[in-house]
Amino acid sequence: MMPALSPGTIVIARARPKRVVPGDVVIIRHEGRDKIKRVQQVGERGIYVVGDNQRLSTDSRDFGWLDMSTITGKVWWPRIAGLK
């Protein structure tokens, strides 16, 4: 699947959302960098995120489950396919 956002796209996000569900696009802080990923699963262990371009993306398939505290924002605009 192609990325929903191109490099350089400006996004508006809600800081530190109280709730995320599968399909939400979030900003995470990982290894000192902000990354935009799609939430695939939410569980007791935290969140499992994937990139839309799975062939080229570094995501939970590489670094595993993330603590909810890594979420710095939930993308609100632009509206992205699959966002609820």
Side-chain angles (χ1 to χ4, degrees):
M1 179 156 99
M2 292 300 296
L5 298 170
S6 301
T9 300
I10 295 173
V11 299
I12 297 173
R14 175 169 293 196
R16 307 227 186 265
K18 295 180 182 179
R19 180 174 172 259
V20 294
V21 296
D24 284 347
V25 176
V26 295
I27 302 169
I28 60 168
R29 187 80 176 160
H30 182 256
E31 296 182 344
R33 296 183 66 194
D34 290 325
K35 301 175 183 181
I36 298 178
K37 302 293 177 187
R38 191 176 301 270
V39 175
Q40 187 173 62
Q41 295 180 52
V42 179
E44 292 178 17
R45 294 181 284 179
I47 59 166
Y48 191 90
V49 296
V50 293
D52 284 348
N53 188 349
Q54 292 184 6
R55 190 172 61 106
L56 299 175
S57 185
T58 302
D59 49 36
S60 287
R61 293 171 298 151
D62 302 300
F63 47 73
W65 287 79
L66 297 171
D67 189 84
M68 294 293 282
S69 66
T70 62
I71 298 174
T72 61
K74 180 176 171 180
V75 175
W76 179 75
W77 184 87
R79 290 285 183 203
I80 300 171
L83 259 175
K84 297 184 185 204

